[in-house]
Amino acid sequence: MAYKFSDIRLDKGMYSVPGKGFSALLEELDPSEAYRGTPLEGLDAYQRQLKRFGIKVRGAGSDNVEKFFHTTESAVLFPEYVSRSVRQGIEESNVLPHIVATTTNIDGLDYRAVSSEPDGERDALTHVAEGAMIPQTEIRAKEKLITLHKRGRMLVASYEAIRFQRLELFSVMLRQIGSNIAKMHLADAVDVLINGDGNDNAAEKVTGVTLSYDALVDLWGKFEPYTLNTMLASPDVMLSLLKLDEMQSPMAGLNFAGSGDAGSPLGAKLIRTSALPEDTLIGLDRGYALEMVRSGGVSVEYDRLIDRQLERAAITSTAGFAKIYAGAAVVMETV
């Protein structure tokens, strides 16, 4: 049986099609739907191209980096391999899905978020008498644009230095780049949670607190009408939390010793991160606190990579964060 993927002509211009990534364009030219019931079912269009050129990127028997550059067409696949490996590293280290309520993808760099902040009785669930006016909830655009930051790493290596390296090992290094990018985005998210997005919506701060179970209960009590379901803790606060008597019950100890799961104080998911300043804990309702705004995905300098000019090839990801409801996050500074 003749497969369509073998007839696709690959060129570097496929990376610069407006509004489409390389994989999306390949999928359009060679839909995966057509491979149902065939030995290639389960592979996406990019993976079929790897198979076309006999490039194995995973496992102990993975090929060398130079396998991508045996032909001018197979070299076109290299930037997408780099991008996918970096994205895998981002996903493996990514805390953001645990604190972001929604993600908005945009094409440009300018984004104006909207707000709908509850305001006492105006938004209360009051009884509406016959003929009376129904209470309103006003949604309006925020005054200031959301700031997006480009975060990334420069891949510095000569082709001669990496050409004989196994792709499995090279993938590990690329995943580490992705992990670093994820940490930088998390630092941006934490900054917005604490200080707001520039629209006068910084989080409430509780300062001078001695960390205790009573202090956690007081924090929990500040979340009406929201729910405290996530806690971000700096490493030192995390250690102090684990030493609380209430966290050292037999069941909590078994969970931590057996799985590394630090438990769930008051039902909240507990996440340790060095993105927080020392002596700081953030409680939040992950369903209402934060919006992630992303401009494109992982970007690589495909011209340099295809032409083997790896000496300084940038790998970047551009994103920003907007507060949805300021009251859905509270910062605790301990002593």
Side-chain angles (χ1 to χ4, degrees):
M1 177 180 178
Y3 293 113
K4 186 177 180 179
F5 70 85
S6 299
D7 301 325
I8 295 175
R9 182 179 180 277
L10 302 176
D11 65 80
K12 66 173 64 177
M14 297 174 72
Y15 284 96
S16 55
V17 176
K20 292 181 183 177
F22 181 77
S23 285
L25 183 58
L26 273 181
E27 196 66 41
E28 185 178 291
L29 296 172
D30 181 35
S32 294
E33 189 72 21
Y35 293 87
R36 288 200 174 187
T38 73
L40 299 180
E41 183 177 8
L43 301 181
D44 64 23
Y46 177 75
Q47 292 168 329
R48 289 192 290 275
Q49 290 300 315
L50 292 179
K51 185 174 182 62
R52 170 187 176 184
F53 292 100
I55 301 173
K56 184 179 179 182
V57 299
R58 295 285 183 267
S62 62
D63 290 310
N64 296 336
V65 171
E66 70 169 355
K67 185 68 175 288
F68 273 103
F69 298 95
H70 281 186
T71 71
T72 55
E73 285 195 274
S74 61
V76 175
L77 299 174
F78 188 60
E80 179 64 15
Y81 155 76
V82 171
S83 178
R84 288 188 176 211
S85 298
V86 172
R87 286 201 302 271
Q88 183 181 354
I90 291 176
E91 291 166 2
E92 290 173 350
S93 306
N94 204 1
V95 172
L96 292 176
H98 300 295
I99 66 174
V100 168
T102 183
T103 300
T104 301
N105 294 301
I106 63 175
D107 291 329
L109 295 176
D110 294 333
Y111 180 75
R112 192 180 299 277
V114 296
S115 65
S116 171
E117 199 67 34
D119 187 16
E121 291 299 322
R122 187 182 66 186
D123 292 290
L125 300 178
T126 56
H127 173 70
V128 180
E130 184 176 352
M133 181 177 293
I134 299 175
Q136 299 180 12
T137 296
E138 181 182 359
I139 299 175
R140 55 189 179 276
K142 292 183 179 180
E143 180 180 349
K144 295 183 180 178
L145 294 173
I146 301 305
T147 301
L148 272 63
H149 300 283
K150 179 181 285 188
R151 303 303 189 194
R153 282 287 187 271
M154 192 71 71
L155 177 62
V156 181
S158 66
Y159 174 66
E160 288 72 20
I162 66 171
R163 61 180 297 191
F164 297 120
Q165 294 300 320
R166 295 288 181 183
L167 288 167
E168 177 75 8
L169 174 61
F170 194 50
S171 294
V172 173
M173 299 174 182
L174 294 174
R175 293 202 306 272
Q176 179 60 27
I177 291 176
S179 176
N180 288 330
I181 292 174
K183 291 176 182 177
M184 287 186 278
H185 282 320
L186 177 59
D188 292 335
V190 165
D191 180 67
V192 170
L193 282 172
I194 296 175
N195 302 309
D197 57 22
N199 287 281
D200 193 26
N201 53 5
E204 177 186 352
K205 283 189 178 181
V206 182
T207 61
V209 177
T210 299
L211 189 63
S212 64
Y213 186 75
D214 288 347
L216 294 178
V217 172
D218 290 340
L219 178 66
W220 175 86
K222 291 181 175 294
F223 274 81
E224 178 64 26
Y226 305 105
T227 301
L228 175 59
N229 51 36
T230 305
M231 291 184 187
L232 295 175
S234 59
D236 59 317
V237 171
M238 185 71 162
L239 288 175
S240 297
L241 278 171
L242 293 175
K243 293 176 182 178
L244 292 177
D245 290 341
E246 291 79 6
M247 293 292 289
Q248 297 184 44
S249 68
M251 186 58 68
L254 285 173
N255 287 340
F256 185 60
S259 67
D261 186 352
S264 302
L266 305 176
K269 182 175 180 62
L270 185 57
I271 300 171
R272 179 184 64 179
T273 173
S274 57
L276 280 177
E278 289 186 356
D279 303 318
T280 304
L281 181 146
I282 300 178
L284 61 103
D285 186 333
R286 62 176 173 268
Y288 293 96
L290 202 62
E291 174 189 13
M292 182 176 184
V293 184
R294 189 164 52 197
S295 179
V298 174
S299 174
V300 299
E301 291 186 329
Y302 59 86
D303 278 316
R304 285 179 175 270
L305 297 182
I306 293 173
D307 295 336
R308 309 186 199 186
Q309 298 174 16
L310 277 69
E311 286 81 2
R312 295 187 65 82
I315 302 172
T316 60
S317 174
T318 302
F321 299 88
K323 273 285 191 70
I324 302 177
Y325 292 105
V330 178
V331 178
M332 177 187 289
E333 295 180 349
T334 65
V335 291

